[in-house]
């Protein structure tokens, strides 16, 4: 039905197009334009001859003679009038035909409109039925898959239940065995205690044992307190000596003399430190030369540790490394090749960075300070020992060593054991317990 309606509509449209193209052609063929002699609008040879030869003045009382221009204008006016008449006639014919076509189209719509609507409705109904059928089939497949998964899950749960029951049975057997063994031992202990009690006339041995047990408990608590006190005041990693920086002052520092002068492109610095107070900037280790007061520096900045090479523009930072009143082992490693620098805290790498003073070479004949820096006032070793008190370190320090090479992770971790013997590992530039150290400004050497 829908295809029939569409075909009928296309035929009607084709009819409209044919009528629109055919009407002007047909009516144009029936209308002929002719210009008769009644209008005197033709220019004859006599007129041309008269124009070429001068004519005498017209005599009075003669009829007027039309020139060729008068005839031409008259012809144009007649042509324009006829053209307007033809256009008006064509418009009237087109209006009549369009009204007739409109009536035919209305009649067509009234006749076939209901059948087309019913066809569209039935088509939509069939599409809805097909869609509903497909959805139902999909739901059935989903239910089948869900049922299969439910069966599999149920089987797995049954297996787990059986395994748990088996495990519970084994636990009951083990518990019963332990109870039997405990009962046997308890019986033996009671029998032994009964014999001892009878041998000591009414329980004097039991009182003695209770007294000894309470005394041992008191001794144990005292030993724990003593161990904590000794550990808090002792030096880490088996070190025999250490340095105490009691106060922050402009003179407190320690001068260290290297075992041998060095000029190298690599260095490793390791030390133990226990800061009394953590401030914004505190100097732990400083190596200065006449040409550069900031060749190497190991600095505490709050709870962070900074390692600088050739000035503060080249540094590595390890955050959260230092705590007040706690020992911490710090190692700083640097190599001029590719500028690889790293910081190790308690035997673990905490920070690393490439490009730190890449290609720089450490100068020789410098000065090593602990707890302070020469800074820009460094010129030669004969200057007065006065420094910036705000940079002074307060606390304890031990196990200071320096190498002219890069240590590997195993060598660093061996020194970082607080209960080990890391102080037995000594550097080839600065060796703790071997190199000369000179405490100044109230710094004390402790044992």
């Amino acid at each position: 039905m829908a295809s029939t309606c569409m075909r009928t509509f296309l035929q009607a449209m084709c009819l409209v197009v044919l009528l629109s193209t055919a009407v002007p052609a047909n009516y144009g063929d029936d209308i002929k334009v002719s210009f008769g002699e009644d209008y005197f609008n033709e220019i004859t040879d006599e007129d041309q001859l008269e124009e070429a030869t001068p004519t005498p003045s017209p005599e009075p009382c003669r009829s007027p003679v039309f020139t060729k221009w008068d005839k031409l204008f008259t012809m144009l006016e007649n042509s324009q009038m006829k053209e307007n008449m033809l256009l008006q006639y064509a418009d009237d014919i087109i209006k009549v035909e369009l009204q007739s076509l409109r009536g035919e189209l209305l009649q067509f719509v009234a006749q076939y409109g209901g059948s087309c609507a019913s066809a569209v409705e039935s088509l939509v109904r069939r599409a809805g039925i097909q869609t509903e059928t497909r959805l139902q089939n999909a739901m059935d497949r989903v239910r089948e898959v869900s049922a299969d998964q439910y069966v599999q899950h149920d089987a797995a749960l049954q297996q787990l239940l059986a395994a748990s029951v088996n495990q519970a049975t084994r636990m009951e057997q083990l518990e019963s065995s332990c109870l039997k063994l405990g009962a046997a031992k308890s019986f033996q202990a009671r029998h032994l205690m009964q014999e001892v009690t009878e041998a000591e006339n009414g329980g004097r041995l039991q009182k003695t044992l209770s007294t000894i047990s309470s005394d041992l408990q008191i001794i144990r608590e005292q030993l724990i307190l003593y161990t904590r006190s000794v550990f808090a005041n002792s030096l880490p990693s088996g070190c025999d000596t250490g340095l105490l920086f009691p106060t922050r002052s402009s003179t407190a520092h320690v001068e260290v003399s290297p075992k041998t002068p060095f000029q190298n492109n690599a260095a490793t610095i390791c030390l133990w430190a226990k800061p009394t107070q953590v401030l914004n900037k505190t100097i732990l280790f400083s190596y200065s030369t006449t040409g550069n007061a900031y060749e190497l520096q190991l600095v505490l900045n709050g709870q962070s540790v900074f390692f600088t090479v050739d000035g503060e523009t080249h540094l590595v930072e390890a955050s959260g490394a230092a705590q007040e009143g706690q020992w911490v082992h710090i190692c700083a490693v640097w190599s001029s090749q590719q500028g690889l620098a790293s910081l190790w805290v308690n035997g673990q790498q905490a920070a690393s960075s490439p490009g730190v003073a890449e290609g720089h070479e450490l100068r020789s004949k410098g000065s090593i300070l602990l707890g302070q820096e020469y800074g820009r006032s460094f010129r030669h070793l004969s200057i007065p020992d006065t420094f910036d008190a705000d940079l002074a370190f307060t606390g304890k320090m031990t196990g200071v060593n320096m190498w002219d090479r890069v240590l590997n992770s195993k060598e660093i971790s061996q020194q970082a054991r607080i209960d080990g013997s890391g102080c037995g590992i000594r550097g080839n530039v600065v060796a703790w317990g071997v190199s000369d150290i000179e405490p100044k400004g109230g710094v004390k050497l402790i044992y």
Side-chain angles (χ1 to χ4, degrees), residues 288-310:
S288 305
T289 62
T290 55
N292 189 352
Y294 306 101
E295 284 281 359
L296 294 173
Q297 279 195 337
L298 198 57
V299 182
L300 286 180
N301 191 355
Q303 294 184 348
S304 301
V305 178
F306 289 173
F307 176 46
T308 66
V309 182
D310 191 24

PDB file of all heavy atoms in Angstrom, residues 288-310:
ATOM      1  N   SER A 288      86.972  24.505  52.035  1.00  0.00           N
ATOM      2  CA  SER A 288      87.176  25.790  51.370  1.00  0.00           C
ATOM      3  C   SER A 288      88.606  25.901  50.896  1.00  0.00           C
ATOM      4  O   SER A 288      89.534  25.349  51.510  1.00  0.00           O
ATOM      5  CB  SER A 288      86.868  26.951  52.331  1.00  0.00           C
ATOM      6  OG  SER A 288      85.573  26.833  52.867  1.00  0.00           O
ATOM      7  N   THR A 289      88.779  26.646  49.791  1.00  0.00           N
ATOM      8  CA  THR A 289      90.116  26.929  49.261  1.00  0.00           C
ATOM      9  C   THR A 289      90.245  28.433  49.063  1.00  0.00           C
ATOM     10  O   THR A 289      89.275  29.187  49.191  1.00  0.00           O
ATOM     11  CB  THR A 289      90.340  26.194  47.923  1.00  0.00           C
ATOM     12  OG1 THR A 289      89.388  26.663  46.967  1.00  0.00           O
ATOM     13  CG2 THR A 289      90.185  24.691  48.094  1.00  0.00           C
ATOM     14  N   THR A 290      91.462  28.861  48.745  1.00  0.00           N
ATOM     15  CA  THR A 290      91.680  30.292  48.549  1.00  0.00           C
ATOM     16  C   THR A 290      90.903  30.823  47.352  1.00  0.00           C
ATOM     17  O   THR A 290      90.519  31.991  47.321  1.00  0.00           O
ATOM     18  CB  THR A 290      93.174  30.565  48.350  1.00  0.00           C
ATOM     19  OG1 THR A 290      93.655  29.752  47.266  1.00  0.00           O
ATOM     20  CG2 THR A 290      93.960  30.242  49.606  1.00  0.00           C
ATOM     21  N   GLY A 291      90.659  30.001  46.355  1.00  0.00           N
ATOM     22  CA  GLY A 291      89.926  30.446  45.180  1.00  0.00           C
ATOM     23  C   GLY A 291      88.425  30.246  45.283  1.00  0.00           C
ATOM     24  O   GLY A 291      87.662  30.885  44.546  1.00  0.00           O
ATOM     25  N   ASN A 292      87.971  29.363  46.175  1.00  0.00           N
ATOM     26  CA  ASN A 292      86.545  29.062  46.288  1.00  0.00           C
ATOM     27  C   ASN A 292      86.233  28.682  47.726  1.00  0.00           C
ATOM     28  O   ASN A 292      86.713  27.664  48.220  1.00  0.00           O
ATOM     29  CB  ASN A 292      86.153  27.924  45.335  1.00  0.00           C
ATOM     30  CG  ASN A 292      84.647  27.734  45.250  1.00  0.00           C
ATOM     31  OD1 ASN A 292      83.883  28.340  45.993  1.00  0.00           O
ATOM     32  ND2 ASN A 292      84.231  26.866  44.338  1.00  0.00           N
ATOM     33  N   ALA A 293      85.465  29.512  48.413  1.00  0.00           N
ATOM     34  CA  ALA A 293      85.132  29.227  49.816  1.00  0.00           C
ATOM     35  C   ALA A 293      84.047  28.178  49.954  1.00  0.00           C
ATOM     36  O   ALA A 293      83.768  27.725  51.072  1.00  0.00           O
ATOM     37  CB  ALA A 293      84.686  30.522  50.503  1.00  0.00           C
ATOM     38  N   TYR A 294      83.430  27.768  48.834  1.00  0.00           N
ATOM     39  CA  TYR A 294      82.319  26.813  48.902  1.00  0.00           C
ATOM     40  C   TYR A 294      82.567  25.632  47.974  1.00  0.00           C
ATOM     41  O   TYR A 294      81.705  25.232  47.195  1.00  0.00           O
ATOM     42  CB  TYR A 294      81.002  27.502  48.507  1.00  0.00           C
ATOM     43  CG  TYR A 294      80.702  28.746  49.287  1.00  0.00           C
ATOM     44  CD1 TYR A 294      80.926  30.009  48.751  1.00  0.00           C
ATOM     45  CD2 TYR A 294      80.192  28.663  50.582  1.00  0.00           C
ATOM     46  CE1 TYR A 294      80.658  31.158  49.467  1.00  0.00           C
ATOM     47  CE2 TYR A 294      79.920  29.811  51.307  1.00  0.00           C
ATOM     48  CZ  TYR A 294      80.153  31.050  50.746  1.00  0.00           C
ATOM     49  OH  TYR A 294      79.879  32.184  51.473  1.00  0.00           O
ATOM     50  N   GLU A 295      83.764  25.048  48.082  1.00  0.00           N
ATOM     51  CA  GLU A 295      84.055  23.886  47.247  1.00  0.00           C
ATOM     52  C   GLU A 295      83.091  22.740  47.566  1.00  0.00           C
ATOM     53  O   GLU A 295      82.416  22.224  46.683  1.00  0.00           O
ATOM     54  CB  GLU A 295      85.505  23.426  47.470  1.00  0.00           C
ATOM     55  CG  GLU A 295      86.548  24.294  46.804  1.00  0.00           C
ATOM     56  CD  GLU A 295      86.676  23.996  45.308  1.00  0.00           C
ATOM     57  OE1 GLU A 295      85.960  23.112  44.814  1.00  0.00           O
ATOM     58  OE2 GLU A 295      87.472  24.665  44.647  1.00  0.00           O
ATOM     59  N   LEU A 296      83.019  22.332  48.827  1.00  0.00           N
ATOM     60  CA  LEU A 296      82.115  21.269  49.267  1.00  0.00           C
ATOM     61  C   LEU A 296      81.463  21.696  50.577  1.00  0.00           C
ATOM     62  O   LEU A 296      82.147  22.202  51.473  1.00  0.00           O
ATOM     63  CB  LEU A 296      82.861  19.939  49.469  1.00  0.00           C
ATOM     64  CG  LEU A 296      83.467  19.268  48.234  1.00  0.00           C
ATOM     65  CD1 LEU A 296      84.297  18.071  48.645  1.00  0.00           C
ATOM     66  CD2 LEU A 296      82.375  18.831  47.256  1.00  0.00           C
ATOM     67  N   GLN A 297      80.158  21.461  50.702  1.00  0.00           N
ATOM     68  CA  GLN A 297      79.458  21.775  51.945  1.00  0.00           C
ATOM     69  C   GLN A 297      78.349  20.761  52.181  1.00  0.00           C
ATOM     70  O   GLN A 297      77.635  20.374  51.243  1.00  0.00           O
ATOM     71  CB  GLN A 297      78.861  23.190  51.916  1.00  0.00           C
ATOM     72  CG  GLN A 297      79.842  24.283  52.236  1.00  0.00           C
ATOM     73  CD  GLN A 297      79.157  25.600  52.559  1.00  0.00           C
ATOM     74  OE1 GLN A 297      78.026  25.845  52.169  1.00  0.00           O
ATOM     75  NE2 GLN A 297      79.853  26.453  53.296  1.00  0.00           N
ATOM     76  N   LEU A 298      78.206  20.373  53.449  1.00  0.00           N
ATOM     77  CA  LEU A 298      77.110  19.521  53.896  1.00  0.00           C
ATOM     78  C   LEU A 298      76.351  20.325  54.952  1.00  0.00           C
ATOM     79  O   LEU A 298      76.905  20.661  56.005  1.00  0.00           O
ATOM     80  CB  LEU A 298      77.646  18.211  54.470  1.00  0.00           C
ATOM     81  CG  LEU A 298      76.675  17.050  54.601  1.00  0.00           C
ATOM     82  CD1 LEU A 298      76.038  16.711  53.271  1.00  0.00           C
ATOM     83  CD2 LEU A 298      77.385  15.822  55.154  1.00  0.00           C
ATOM     84  N   VAL A 299      75.081  20.648  54.658  1.00  0.00           N
ATOM     85  CA  VAL A 299      74.342  21.642  55.439  1.00  0.00           C
ATOM     86  C   VAL A 299      73.015  21.057  55.895  1.00  0.00           C
ATOM     87  O   VAL A 299      72.342  20.344  55.136  1.00  0.00           O
ATOM     88  CB  VAL A 299      74.088  22.918  54.597  1.00  0.00           C
ATOM     89  CG1 VAL A 299      73.356  23.970  55.415  1.00  0.00           C
ATOM     90  CG2 VAL A 299      75.407  23.479  54.073  1.00  0.00           C
ATOM     91  N   LEU A 300      72.641  21.374  57.163  1.00  0.00           N
ATOM     92  CA  LEU A 300      71.292  21.092  57.648  1.00  0.00           C
ATOM     93  C   LEU A 300      70.436  22.339  57.447  1.00  0.00           C
ATOM     94  O   LEU A 300      70.829  23.431  57.851  1.00  0.00           O
ATOM     95  CB  LEU A 300      71.303  20.717  59.132  1.00  0.00           C
ATOM     96  CG  LEU A 300      71.821  19.335  59.522  1.00  0.00           C
ATOM     97  CD1 LEU A 300      71.755  19.161  61.038  1.00  0.00           C
ATOM     98  CD2 LEU A 300      71.018  18.246  58.848  1.00  0.00           C
ATOM     99  N   ASN A 301      69.280  22.162  56.834  1.00  0.00           N
ATOM    100  CA  ASN A 301      68.335  23.262  56.632  1.00  0.00           C
ATOM    101  C   ASN A 301      66.974  22.793  57.128  1.00  0.00           C
ATOM    102  O   ASN A 301      66.216  22.163  56.408  1.00  0.00           O
ATOM    103  CB  ASN A 301      68.279  23.651  55.157  1.00  0.00           C
ATOM    104  CG  ASN A 301      67.518  24.949  54.965  1.00  0.00           C
ATOM    105  OD1 ASN A 301      66.966  25.501  55.911  1.00  0.00           O
ATOM    106  ND2 ASN A 301      67.483  25.430  53.741  1.00  0.00           N
ATOM    107  N   GLY A 302      66.665  23.120  58.389  1.00  0.00           N
ATOM    108  CA  GLY A 302      65.475  22.538  59.008  1.00  0.00           C
ATOM    109  C   GLY A 302      65.681  21.036  59.162  1.00  0.00           C
ATOM    110  O   GLY A 302      66.695  20.583  59.687  1.00  0.00           O
ATOM    111  N   GLN A 303      64.731  20.248  58.713  1.00  0.00           N
ATOM    112  CA  GLN A 303      64.864  18.795  58.740  1.00  0.00           C
ATOM    113  C   GLN A 303      65.439  18.240  57.446  1.00  0.00           C
ATOM    114  O   GLN A 303      65.541  17.030  57.292  1.00  0.00           O
ATOM    115  CB  GLN A 303      63.489  18.157  58.995  1.00  0.00           C
ATOM    116  CG  GLN A 303      62.924  18.468  60.370  1.00  0.00           C
ATOM    117  CD  GLN A 303      61.615  17.755  60.626  1.00  0.00           C
ATOM    118  OE1 GLN A 303      61.021  17.198  59.720  1.00  0.00           O
ATOM    119  NE2 GLN A 303      61.159  17.789  61.865  1.00  0.00           N
ATOM    120  N   SER A 304      65.843  19.111  56.526  1.00  0.00           N
ATOM    121  CA  SER A 304      66.415  18.686  55.253  1.00  0.00           C
ATOM    122  C   SER A 304      67.935  18.770  55.301  1.00  0.00           C
ATOM    123  O   SER A 304      68.512  19.487  56.116  1.00  0.00           O
ATOM    124  CB  SER A 304      65.887  19.550  54.106  1.00  0.00           C
ATOM    125  OG  SER A 304      64.477  19.464  54.019  1.00  0.00           O
ATOM    126  N   VAL A 305      68.570  18.024  54.393  1.00  0.00           N
ATOM    127  CA  VAL A 305      70.025  18.030  54.258  1.00  0.00           C
ATOM    128  C   VAL A 305      70.361  18.497  52.852  1.00  0.00           C
ATOM    129  O   VAL A 305      69.796  17.996  51.863  1.00  0.00           O
ATOM    130  CB  VAL A 305      70.607  16.627  54.509  1.00  0.00           C
ATOM    131  CG1 VAL A 305      72.122  16.648  54.322  1.00  0.00           C
ATOM    132  CG2 VAL A 305      70.260  16.157  55.911  1.00  0.00           C
ATOM    133  N   PHE A 306      71.291  19.483  52.754  1.00  0.00           N
ATOM    134  CA  PHE A 306      71.758  20.011  51.475  1.00  0.00           C
ATOM    135  C   PHE A 306      73.204  19.583  51.278  1.00  0.00           C
ATOM    136  O   PHE A 306      74.014  19.616  52.212  1.00  0.00           O
ATOM    137  CB  PHE A 306      71.677  21.533  51.420  1.00  0.00           C
ATOM    138  CG  PHE A 306      70.278  22.069  51.339  1.00  0.00           C
ATOM    139  CD1 PHE A 306      70.032  23.428  51.431  1.00  0.00           C
ATOM    140  CD2 PHE A 306      69.194  21.221  51.159  1.00  0.00           C
ATOM    141  CE1 PHE A 306      68.749  23.937  51.346  1.00  0.00           C
ATOM    142  CE2 PHE A 306      67.916  21.710  51.078  1.00  0.00           C
ATOM    143  CZ  PHE A 306      67.691  23.074  51.178  1.00  0.00           C
ATOM    144  N   PHE A 307      73.534  19.200  50.042  1.00  0.00           N
ATOM    145  CA  PHE A 307      74.912  18.918  49.655  1.00  0.00           C
ATOM    146  C   PHE A 307      75.231  19.802  48.457  1.00  0.00           C
ATOM    147  O   PHE A 307      74.612  19.680  47.398  1.00  0.00           O
ATOM    148  CB  PHE A 307      75.083  17.443  49.295  1.00  0.00           C
ATOM    149  CG  PHE A 307      76.465  17.103  48.782  1.00  0.00           C
ATOM    150  CD1 PHE A 307      77.601  17.568  49.420  1.00  0.00           C
ATOM    151  CD2 PHE A 307      76.616  16.312  47.649  1.00  0.00           C
ATOM    152  CE1 PHE A 307      78.865  17.262  48.947  1.00  0.00           C
ATOM    153  CE2 PHE A 307      77.873  15.994  47.173  1.00  0.00           C
ATOM    154  CZ  PHE A 307      79.005  16.467  47.820  1.00  0.00           C
ATOM    155  N   THR A 308      76.184  20.755  48.642  1.00  0.00           N
ATOM    156  CA  THR A 308      76.511  21.705  47.583  1.00  0.00           C
ATOM    157  C   THR A 308      77.934  21.469  47.109  1.00  0.00           C
ATOM    158  O   THR A 308      78.818  21.098  47.891  1.00  0.00           O
ATOM    159  CB  THR A 308      76.369  23.156  48.086  1.00  0.00           C
ATOM    160  OG1 THR A 308      77.359  23.399  49.105  1.00  0.00           O
ATOM    161  CG2 THR A 308      74.984  23.390  48.662  1.00  0.00           C
ATOM    162  N   VAL A 309      78.132  21.691  45.799  1.00  0.00           N
ATOM    163  CA  VAL A 309      79.448  21.578  45.175  1.00  0.00           C
ATOM    164  C   VAL A 309      79.680  22.851  44.370  1.00  0.00           C
ATOM    165  O   VAL A 309      78.857  23.212  43.521  1.00  0.00           O
ATOM    166  CB  VAL A 309      79.530  20.343  44.253  1.00  0.00           C
ATOM    167  CG1 VAL A 309      80.932  20.227  43.652  1.00  0.00           C
ATOM    168  CG2 VAL A 309      79.168  19.077  45.010  1.00  0.00           C
ATOM    169  N   ASP A 310      80.771  23.557  44.665  1.00  0.00           N
ATOM    170  CA  ASP A 310      81.132  24.786  43.950  1.00  0.00           C
ATOM    171  C   ASP A 310      80.029  25.840  44.095  1.00  0.00           C
ATOM    172  O   ASP A 310      79.656  26.503  43.132  1.00  0.00           O
ATOM    173  CB  ASP A 310      81.396  24.477  42.476  1.00  0.00           C
ATOM    174  CG  ASP A 310      82.037  25.673  41.758  1.00  0.00           C
ATOM    175  OD1 ASP A 310      82.661  26.505  42.443  1.00  0.00           O
ATOM    176  OD2 ASP A 310      81.882  25.771  40.527  1.00  0.00           O
TER     177      ASP A 310
END
